[in-house]
Amino acid sequence: SVAMVAGNKKGRVGVGIGKAGDTQRAIEKAFRNARKNMIDVPMDAEQNLPHDVTMKYAASVIMIMPAPGRGIVAGSSVRTVLELAGVKDVTAKALSRSKNKLNNARAAIQALSSM
């Protein structure tokens, strides 16, 4: 099983999973699934987010806040989602104690799509 984040660093990002007996096929399926589930992230001209957002997905709770001049301050899979979305100055915090990286990434995707 493979979980993958795909993005173009210009405002489109998606998370997908793929399962197969062979690792390469699982990666291909995950990438195809991530491209199929891509969302558009609302950003201004400087690639900053418009406002704060808090989102819960399963047991994961994520808070994402714009932070001009700080760069990307986030951890784990949320950082990967924000980098591949192309967001420049943002702070993110996982408020839950969930260590499930897939659910954290999906919570970040839901938070970005709800803006």
Side-chain angles (χ1 to χ4, degrees):
S1 148
V2 174
M4 180 174 286
V5 180
N8 65 354
K9 296 188 179 182
K10 295 178 186 173
R12 289 186 51 80
V13 68
V15 173
I17 60 170
K19 292 182 180 179
D22 182 30
T23 306
Q24 187 59 38
R25 286 172 102 176
I27 291 171
E28 289 171 7
K29 282 184 178 183
F31 185 67
R32 195 176 323 125
N33 191 288
R35 279 199 354 232
K36 186 173 78 172
N37 295 320
M38 277 192 169
I39 61 158
D40 289 317
V41 179
M43 294 186 287
D44 60 7
E46 292 86 36
Q47 291 185 311
N48 293 326
L49 297 177
H51 56 81
D52 298 5
V53 65
T54 303
M55 185 59 61
K56 181 178 188 317
Y57 180 88
S60 298
V61 181
I62 301 292
M63 183 169 58
I64 300 175
M65 304 158 287
R70 292 206 44 186
I72 297 178
V73 181
S76 185
S77 56
V78 179
R79 180 184 195 92
T80 307
V81 169
L82 293 170
E83 283 177 349
L84 290 174
V87 182
K88 294 288 185 208
D89 296 320
V90 66
T91 300
K93 179 71 179 164
L95 300 174
S96 64
R97 291 184 297 276
S98 174
K99 294 179 184 173
N100 189 326
K101 293 184 184 212
L102 179 60
N103 283 349
N104 286 340
R106 285 183 172 168
I109 292 286
Q110 266 193 348
L112 292 174
S113 66
S114 72
M115 288 190 174

